[in-house]
Amino acid sequence: MTLDIRPARGGFLRPFGCGWFIREFLLGNGPEGSRAVDPQQGAPQADINFEYKEALARATARERTERIISRLVVGGKDVTEEQAEDIYERELKKLSRKFTHMRYHSFLMYFGVLKRLGWVEITNETEPSAIQENYPPAPERTYYRLTKKGIKAGDESWSNPLFTLYPEIGPNHMKPQV
């Protein structure tokens, strides 16, 4: 029996969820090869989004590389570590970052849900934004960190923060199990 990895309706499966990544990133764990941040200092939304899309690109390239190498090995060819690394680098370069992440506006909306849940909070840390060079009144980059409530929230809640915020809509949007 084969399992189709594409859902019957909706988008494609991701190697990991956005909520999981944000939590792990702000905890300072450096998930999926992203940089580690100080959990007390946090990070700006733009940096979190960048690290998320790059981590998704690396994970997707790694999965594609594994499939290619698997086909080569099944075909009777030996694959060296250097060849495997070359295949990975090639696949990483081929990936469009638009394919591997949600758009920035969608990310901001998602992050807004985390704010309303009280799972993230603004820190006292700010820094000038790039746009301020040309437009000084533009806002500074604001840093966010996890709250105690966000740290205590379970995996199920983090897997779908929108359903956690609005539990009444969750069952209406779930596909019935057959």
Side-chain angles (χ1 to χ4, degrees), residues 63-82:
E63 287 178 1
R64 289 180 179 183
T65 300
E66 289 168 359
R67 272 196 304 265
I68 291 168
I69 292 172
S70 177
R71 275 189 245 126
L72 290 171
V73 170
V74 167
K77 296 184 179 176
D78 289 332
V79 180
T80 65
E81 290 292 326
E82 294 82 24

Side-chain angles (χ1 to χ4, degrees), residues 27 31 40 50-51 53 61 76 79 81 85 89 116 140 145 165 174:
L27 283 172
Q40 291 304 312
F50 174 79
E51 293 290 342
K53 70 180 182 179
V79 180
E81 290 292 326
E85 186 62 30
E89 291 298 327
R116 286 190 299 247
E140 293 188 321
R145 66 176 168 219
L165 184 60
M174 305 275 292

Side-chain angles (χ1 to χ4, degrees), residues 17-108:
C18 185
W20 172 84
F21 181 85
I22 291 171
R23 181 178 62 179
E24 292 298 310
F25 185 76
L26 291 178
L27 283 172
N29 296 334
E32 296 294 323
S34 61
R35 69 182 174 91
V37 297
D38 177 7
Q40 291 304 312
Q41 181 182 359
Q45 289 176 342
D47 291 359
I48 299 168
N49 181 59
F50 174 79
E51 293 290 342
Y52 173 61
K53 70 180 182 179
E54 289 301 309
L56 273 177
R58 287 189 298 270
T60 303
R62 193 170 49 248
E63 287 178 1
R64 289 180 179 183
T65 300
E66 289 168 359
R67 272 196 304 265
I68 291 168
I69 292 172
S70 177
R71 275 189 245 126
L72 290 171
V73 170
V74 167
K77 296 184 179 176
D78 289 332
V79 180
T80 65
E81 290 292 326
E82 294 82 24
Q83 290 171 324
E85 186 62 30
D86 290 343
I87 293 169
Y88 171 76
E89 291 298 327
R90 184 184 70 224
E91 291 301 313
L92 189 59
K93 285 179 185 173
K94 282 182 7 183
L95 269 172
S96 164
R97 298 310 190 259
K98 289 181 181 179
F99 169 74
T100 60
H101 75 289
M102 64 177 76
R103 301 298 189 265
Y104 188 62
H105 180 264
S106 298
F107 182 84
L108 294 180

